[in-house]
Amino acid sequence: MITSQKGTRDLLPPETRVWNRVEAVAREVFALYGFDEIRTPVFEATELFVRSVGEGTDIVHKEMYTFTDRGGRSVTLRPENTAGVARAFVEHRLAQAGGVHRLYYVGPQFRYERPQKGRYREFRQIGAEVLGDPTPLIDAEVIVMLFDFLGRLGFSALSVSLNSVGTEEERPAFIQALRAWVSSKEDLLDDDDRRRLEENPLRILDSKNPKLCEWLGDPSLPRMIDHLSKESLEHHEQLLRLLDAGRIPYRIEPRLVRGLDYYTRTVFEVTAQGLGAQDALLGGGRYDKLVSDLGGPKTPGIGFAIGEDRLVEVLPEAFRGAAIGSVRPVAVIPVGAPDAADALALASVLRRAGLAVDLASGHRGLGNSLKGAEKAGARFAVLVGENERLRGAVLVKEMATRTQSEVPREQLVEWLRPRL
Ligand code: AMP
């Protein structure tokens, strides 16, 4: 037997109904905020991720699905989607049109990670990006949109963790202070810490080493917020005021740095209970240099990516139940083989009226067809047989009560609709 690859999974019905509903709500909500969909390729030039996500990050260092194609090019299955969006923005000269670009995407991403609950090698993200707006108002609006979306899925107790990682100019002084602090803990560091310190010092704040972690909560740990310029601090504080006004629950998290190099100023994350060790539901932030680093005009950006696998995992039960619900509430069953054409025609009438129909083939007998209708979640079974046909009617059976009514054909839609 050939099985699916490690870290990948098949999404089967009825679970796929939940995924579709989540994505439909995302599209509905994002549209209300003026976002349009962008679809970028699943693989890109490897160099794109090396230059944007960053050489020293875990993603580029050890998690990319990189291969040489038959033409000798190094390509990589996208580990995230912001780089692809920024590349497309530059390639299609979208900046020339001026204004602000609001884009969202939904799709699979690939990282060669050790699979565990909530962590897969193929996973899906729902994300949004705004290009061309430097103000804290857009940072706030993006977070408000996120909470609007999560609220419509039924989440109520979430809060966003926030930090500012400053700009490229502001970070060296902080990194210096951080290095000095860490060197006083030299004997606690493990190999991974040392590598982080060397290649991407901010990531030391994300260390998994328990000995060092004990110290990371210490008040003596330097904070980026103390090294921000006046403008960056003002941006951060203005964002907090806007979130207060928008009644968004947030927590300042001085150690939040995130795993990608391109962030500037605002970074944020939402974690959720019930996800175990992999509790980050979504992450995002501002990236004011990414577009210019990729050869485009200077263009500020901000965005987020939601881990859809994790989102579905902790989805409130009411939303899940409604999504799975009964999607084919009416079964049409031909009583005998000669009734097949009539049943097909009647199912079409109902479907044209917008009712989802489970058309039974009837070949296993009426009893089995009724059982099948019950399994499909049908609330009514419409039996199409010779006797009723002669009277211009059908027999409708209510599955829950087992009561039967003869209903004239031309009244069937109006009869069913209020009862569904
Ligand atoms: P990132 O692109 O690293 O900022 O991640 C954004 C979100 O994607 C995270 O908060 C997770 O919810 C999700 N995510 C990242 N990596 C994985 C993975 N390997 N499996 C499942 N979800 C993931």
Side-chain angles (χ1 to χ4, degrees):
M1 185 180 54
I2 301 174
T3 57
S4 63
Q5 291 294 292
K6 188 172 171 184
T8 70
R9 31 190 213 143
D10 301 304
L11 304 176
L12 303 173
E15 194 65 8
T16 41
R17 293 184 201 163
V18 179
W19 286 72
N20 282 334
R21 195 64 211 126
V22 165
E23 289 165 17
V25 173
R27 290 172 198 282
E28 279 159 36
V29 173
F30 296 174
L32 293 175
Y33 288 77
F35 283 71
D36 272 308
E37 184 172 6
I38 180 166
R39 300 189 190 196
T40 63
V42 162
F43 62 88
E44 300 267 4
T46 301
E47 192 196 349
L48 173 66
F49 303 112
V50 175
R51 272 175 54 188
S52 56
V53 174
E55 202 131 23
T57 60
D58 283 352
I59 294 179
V60 169
H61 184 69
K62 54 185 184 189
E63 294 171 0
M64 294 210 299
Y65 274 92
T66 298
F67 58 98
T68 307
D69 75 5
R70 287 170 195 274
R73 306 171 196 87
S74 178
V75 298
T76 295
L77 301 185
R78 62 184 183 198
E80 58 94 65
N81 221 151
T82 303
V85 171
R87 187 223 13 95
F89 183 82
V90 175
E91 184 170 339
H92 302 289
R93 302 180 199 283
L94 298 185
Q96 276 182 359
V100 176
H101 299 257
R102 294 168 180 242
L103 304 164
Y104 76 85
Y105 59 82
V106 177
Q109 319 292 335
F110 305 85
R111 294 182 196 174
Y112 194 83
E113 295 192 86
R114 197 168 49 77
Q116 63 181 88
K117 184 176 179 223
R119 192 160 74 189
Y120 308 100
R121 290 182 172 174
E122 182 193 33
F123 59 100
R124 294 124 194 115
Q125 288 184 334
I126 299 176
E129 316 286 353
V130 181
L131 291 148
D133 189 333
T135 66
L137 176 56
I138 194 71
D139 299 20
E141 194 189 3
V142 160
I143 295 173
V144 166
M145 176 170 89
L146 204 45
F147 273 70
D148 192 351
F149 169 59
L150 294 170
R152 286 180 205 221
L153 301 182
F155 289 100
S156 55
L158 297 175
S159 80
V160 56
S161 303
L162 269 181
N163 193 19
S164 173
V165 292
T167 62
E168 248 182 5
E169 294 74 43
E170 295 153 21
R171 267 196 294 266
F174 171 62
I175 288 171
Q176 203 178 9
L178 192 60
R179 278 216 163 100
W181 183 89
V182 173
S183 64
S184 71
K185 311 276 176 289
E186 178 67 45
D187 47 332
L188 303 179
L189 305 186
D190 64 17
D191 287 349
D192 198 40
D193 292 333
R194 286 202 189 85
R195 183 181 65 78
R196 285 177 191 222
L197 202 58
E198 193 55 42
E199 294 176 2
N200 195 352
L202 287 189
R203 296 287 292 166
I204 199 86
L205 298 173
D206 253 0
S207 171
K208 305 284 178 291
N209 166 10
K211 282 197 216 144
L212 184 65
C213 282
E214 258 179 56
W215 277 96
L216 289 174
D218 194 79
S220 66
L221 182 79
R223 301 185 317 165
M224 183 66 225
I225 213 106
D226 299 323
H227 292 82
L228 295 181
S229 65
K230 195 162 150 286
E231 294 76 28
S232 286
L233 192 60
E234 178 53 29
H235 186 101
H236 181 64
E237 288 175 346
Q238 179 66 9
L239 171 59
L240 302 188
R241 284 194 287 276
L242 290 164
L243 293 179
D244 284 332
R247 295 179 195 283
I248 300 293
Y250 62 82
R251 260 192 331 258
I252 312 274
E253 185 52 75
R255 273 163 49 199
L256 181 65
V257 284
R258 317 242 331 102
L260 304 94
D261 273 0
Y262 49 63
Y263 287 118
T264 50
R265 292 189 169 164
T266 309
V267 290
F268 57 91
E269 204 165 85
V270 172
T271 54
Q273 281 178 351
L275 283 173
Q278 303 301 319
D279 64 351
L281 193 57
L282 64 95
R286 177 165 278 288
Y287 47 87
D288 291 344
K289 290 208 56 220
L290 178 58
V291 172
S292 52
D293 282 352
L294 294 176
K298 213 164 158 266
T299 310
I302 177 158
F304 63 77
I306 305 168
E308 197 179 356
D309 302 75
R310 296 184 192 174
L311 183 70
V312 168
E313 177 82 31
V314 292
L315 210 51
E317 204 37 56
F319 186 92
R320 171 184 296 279
I324 287 188
S326 161
V327 293
R328 282 168 305 179
V330 181
V332 171
I333 303 174
V335 174
D339 304 310
D342 194 15
L344 182 63
L346 195 72
S348 293
V349 170
L350 298 180
R351 286 169 178 154
R352 270 201 296 275
L355 302 179
V357 172
D358 194 67
L359 176 60
S361 67
H363 76 287
R364 290 178 308 152
L366 190 55
N368 279 330
S369 294
L370 281 167
K371 271 192 207 134
E374 201 155 24
K375 234 174 145 184
R379 311 232 337 254
F380 292 94
V382 178
L383 309 185
V384 182
E386 170 110 45
N387 293 345
E388 291 77 18
R389 182 160 50 248
L390 295 174
R391 292 195 290 275
V394 286
L395 204 58
V396 182
K397 198 178 179 96
E398 181 164 7
M399 304 299 284
T401 59
R402 306 267 162 198
T403 50
Q404 293 195 153
S405 327
E406 190 167 300
V407 181
R409 285 177 172 237
E410 69 276 11
Q411 288 169 24
L412 183 60
V413 171
E414 290 82 87
W415 190 93
L416 283 169
R417 220 192 278 284
R419 290 174 170 82
L420 289 171

